[in-house]
Amino acid sequence: MTAACFLTIHMTNNWYHKTTIYQIYPRSFHDSNEDGIGDLKGILQKLDYLQELGFETLWISPFFSSPQIDLGYDISNYTEIAPEYGTMDDSLQLIDEVHRRGMKIVLDMVMNHTSAEHPWFIESRSSRNNSKADWYLWRDKPNNWKSMTGGSGWHYAKERDQYYWSSFLPFQPDLNYRNPDVKKSMLDIVRFWLGKGVDGFRLDIFNVIYKDAGFRNNPFSPKLIPSEEDPSGFFQEAKYTMNQPESFSFAKELKSVCNEFGEKILLGEIQGNTELIKNYMTQNGDGLGLVFNFEMLNFIFTARYFSDLIKKIERDFPDPLMPVYVFSNHDRRRSIHRIGEDLQKAKLLHTLQLTVRGVPCMYYGEEIGMTDSKFPFGSAFDPIPHKFKYIPRFFFDLIGLTINRDEVRTPMQWDTSQNAGFSSAEQAWLPVHNNFKTINVEKEHQETRSLLNTIRALLKIRKEEIILQEGSLECIEGLPIGVLGYSRTFGKMKLLILLNFDKQSKEFPLDVSECIFKLNAEDEIKNKAIRLNGFGAIIARITSD
Ligand code: NOJ
C-alpha cells in the first residue's frame, strides 16, 4: 500500500465522514395516533423503509417540549418530549431501533436560545436580581444590532425595565454563554442525550452562539438581504452578532464533551464564507466534524456551475475536512423547485450528490421528488410570514426567499390513501400536496427507474464502494459542453462519474471498463466511447494494473 493510500484511509476514518444523512421533520413524517401530527412512533413505523432505502444516519428536527411557536425550535424543556410527539420511552425506543438496524441517530440541538416559556427565561425576566438574572442578554438600552429576521433583536420586558436580545424571533431569547452556569447546564443537556445513546447533534444557528462582550454597534453594510455566504443584511454587517472567536472555541469544548461518549457527529448550521466555516471545524478533528455547505442551496443546474462548485469545495475543504452536500431543508424551497420540478433532472442532481466527495444530506420527501405547496401567509403555522405579512408575496418570490416555511413542510407522501398515508386523522396539520396520487413512495417503489429507486441504487453502490465513501476526487477536463465528469480514487481503485446536464444526448470517446451504474437504459459504454442520454449519467470502473 502506498503512503498516499494509507493517508486517505487514515484521515477519513470517522464514521460521520462516510455516512449518508436523511433529515426527518417529525411533525410531517408519519402520524401514528390519528391526531394529524407526525410523531416518534410514526417514525418508528417507517424505520424499515429508511433502512431499506439505505440512509445510514437520521437527523430528526426538534421534538422536545415546546410551545411550538417555531414548531419545536423554541424549546421549553430539553429533556422532555413534546406530548404531540410522544414520550421519553418512545424516544429511547427510537434510539434503540435505529441502532438495531445498524443506523445512527442525530438530534437537533438548539443551544443558542430557549423558548420564552422556558422556566430559565421566566425566572430571568421576572426581576433584575433573581438566580437566573444574567442567564440571558439584558441591557438597559438597545444598541443597533439587527436580528437575523430583520428589525431590532432587542425586546422590552417591563418586569426589569430592560431589553433582552434574541437573534431570531422575540419569543426565542438568546442564552448568555459567558455565564459559566448557562454553559454547564447546556452541556449537561448534551451529556443527558449522549448518555441515552444518540450519535450526535445538528447544531441550530451555531454561528450566533456568542455575541460581542462589549455590545459594540455593528458597522453599516449596503446589503439588504442576508445570503448563505454572507449573513450580513438589513444594512448591517453582522460583525459583533455572529461568528465571534469564542464561538470557535466553544465548538471545540462541545466536541470534547462529545468525545467523553465516543466518536459523535457535530453538524453545524453556520452561515458564512468558507474561511469562517473552517474556523469551527479545525484540521485535527477537535472542532465540528461537519458543517452544511449552504451555498449550494442556491445551485444552478448546469455542468459549469457544479464543476466550479466542486472545484471550490475541493480546494477549500481538502481531506481531512469533509463537506456536506445539501440541496433542501425545512427552511428552504425544495431542490426540485430549482429544476422546474423535473424528475429526470432530480435523478441527475442526486447522482451527483451521492457520488461526490462529501456527506450527502437529504430532506424527507426529496427522494420521491416532493414539491412545495403554496399557502396564504395569514394562516401560516410558521411565525416568519406573520412578521412580513405587509410585504407582498411577489417581492419574496422575486428575490427567491422562502418566507412561509409551511410550504416546504407538508406531510410525507407515502401512498394514494387519505392524507397520502401520512395520517388517518380527518385532517393533517398541513394539507397534503395535491399531487400525492402521482408522487408517492408506494408508486415510485414499483417503477424500476423512479427517482426513489435511483436513490436506493445509488445508496447501495455508495455503501459497497469504499471509493465513494473515502476516495479523493479529481475533475475531468475536456469533456463535451454540458457534461460534468470527475473521478474518485482510493488506493489503486478508481471510479469515473459522468453526468450530462444537457437535454441533448452526448457521445464522446473514452476508454473505461465496467459500467456499474447508468441513469437511463440508453446511457452506455460501447467501443471505447460513452453515450449519455439527455440528463443521463454513468458510473464506470477504471481498472489499472
Ligand atoms: C434555524 C432552523 O433551521 C429554523 O427552522 C429555526 O426557525 C431557526 N434556526 C431558529 O431556531
Side-chain angles (χ1 to χ4, degrees), residues 27 31 33 35 37-40 66-68 81-86:
R27 207 173 190 79
D31 171 22
N33 63 353
D35 63 358
I37 297 175
D39 46 47
L40 298 184
S66 160
Q68 305 289 347
I81 311 300
E84 57 268 63
Y85 293 139

Side-chain angles (χ1 to χ4, degrees), residues 23 25 59 61-62 70-74 108 110-113 148-149 167-169 171-172 202-206 269 271 292 294 329-332 382-384 405 409:
Q23 182 192 356
Y25 195 70
W59 150 32
S61 285
D70 193 13
L71 301 165
Y73 285 91
D74 47 334
D108 211 320
V110 187
M111 304 184 89
N112 174 66
H113 51 267
M148 295 169 84
T149 57
S167 290
F168 205 69
L169 288 166
F171 56 87
Q172 292 160 310
R202 175 260 186 193
L203 303 169
D204 192 69
I205 50 173
F206 197 73
E269 184 195 24
Q271 289 91 13
F292 292 108
F294 278 143
N329 63 34
H330 62 292
D331 294 328
R332 299 291 299 259
D382 181 12
I384 299 276
R405 296 173 298 174
R409 298 171 176 178

Side-chain angles (χ1 to χ4, degrees), residues 114-387:
T114 66
S115 156
E117 292 180 33
H118 194 294
W120 295 344
F121 187 70
I122 293 175
E123 164 122 30
S124 187
R125 82 177 289 159
S126 65
S127 69
R128 289 191 186 204
N129 50 12
N130 61 72
S131 68
K132 306 262 180 304
D134 57 354
W135 276 45
Y136 294 81
L137 299 168
W138 291 98
R139 272 176 65 92
D140 292 341
K141 279 202 167 50
N143 60 9
N144 79 343
W145 292 355
K146 302 259 174 72
S147 80
M148 295 169 84
T149 57
S152 172
W154 292 103
H155 309 285
Y156 184 69
K158 63 174 181 323
E159 299 88 333
R160 293 176 59 137
D161 188 23
Q162 276 185 317
Y163 296 79
Y164 65 88
W165 170 252
S166 95
S167 290
F168 205 69
L169 288 166
F171 56 87
Q172 292 160 310
D174 281 31
L175 284 160
N176 173 15
Y177 277 86
R178 294 181 199 281
N179 178 330
D181 294 338
V182 168
K183 200 196 273 187
K184 184 182 174 305
S185 303
M186 220 14 124
L187 292 178
D188 282 348
I189 289 165
V190 164
R191 286 193 179 93
F192 172 88
W193 283 108
L194 289 171
K196 302 277 181 226
V198 301
D199 301 291
F201 305 98
R202 175 260 186 193
L203 303 169
D204 192 69
I205 50 173
F206 197 73
N207 54 330
V208 297
I209 201 135
Y210 275 87
K211 274 65 57 174
D212 180 51
F215 297 98
R216 282 172 282 183
N217 277 332
N218 274 334
F220 172 80
S221 152
K223 222 163 147 261
L224 171 62
I225 313 287
S227 53
E228 303 305 344
E229 289 214 286
D230 176 7
S232 295
F234 310 109
F235 303 113
Q236 179 163 109
E237 187 194 329
K239 185 168 179 185
Y240 296 118
T241 36
M242 290 186 188
N243 301 314
Q244 301 301 294
E246 296 90 334
S247 307
F248 310 145
S249 28
F250 187 53
K252 288 192 185 177
E253 208 174 327
L254 197 54
K255 176 68 180 162
S256 72
V257 168
C258 287
N259 286 346
E260 294 167 18
F261 295 81
E263 201 57 67
K264 302 291 176 182
I265 197 170
L266 285 175
L267 169 55
E269 184 195 24
I270 287 160
Q271 289 91 13
N273 63 37
T274 307
E275 277 322 302
L276 202 136
I277 289 181
K278 277 160 59 176
N279 285 326
Y280 291 91
M281 301 176 86
T282 75
Q283 296 285 328
N284 55 4
D286 62 355
L288 307 187
L290 295 171
V291 171
F292 292 108
N293 293 86
F294 278 143
E295 58 175 305
M296 64 183 77
L297 288 171
N298 300 320
F299 71 87
I300 301 164
F301 191 75
T302 62
R304 167 62 71 87
Y305 170 86
F306 281 110
S307 164
D308 291 349
L309 174 82
I310 291 170
K311 283 178 192 157
K312 178 168 179 273
I313 285 190
E314 284 302 301
R315 188 194 64 215
D316 294 346
F317 295 86
D319 186 51
L321 301 178
M322 187 63 92
V324 177
Y325 278 77
V326 59
F327 299 126
S328 302
N329 63 34
H330 62 292
D331 294 328
R332 299 291 299 259
R333 296 203 71 173
R334 287 176 175 274
S335 58
I336 201 150
H337 159 73
R338 303 189 73 79
I339 46 180
E341 302 187 356
D342 182 323
L343 286 169
Q344 193 56 35
K345 290 183 181 171
K347 286 184 211 170
L348 191 69
L349 180 73
H350 295 299
T351 306
L352 177 137
Q353 188 182 26
L354 293 166
T355 56
V356 277
R357 191 187 70 87
V359 171
C361 181
M362 237 178 255
Y363 182 46
Y364 83 94
E366 208 175 354
E367 76 273 28
I368 52 169
M370 267 175 66
T371 58
D372 303 339
S373 287
K374 231 175 190 164
F375 299 130
F377 282 14
S379 54
F381 288 92
D382 181 12
I384 299 276
H386 297 286
K387 179 162 177 169

Side-chain angles (χ1 to χ4, degrees), residues 346-348 350-351 354 367 444 447-460 517-519:
K347 286 184 211 170
L348 191 69
H350 295 299
T351 306
L354 293 166
E367 76 273 28
E444 290 195 30
E447 295 163 4
T448 325
R449 290 192 180 275
S450 64
L451 176 58
L452 179 69
N453 282 328
T454 301
I455 288 171
R456 177 184 287 116
L458 287 162
L459 283 165
K460 184 162 179 287
F517 171 85
K518 49 186 190 170
L519 202 45

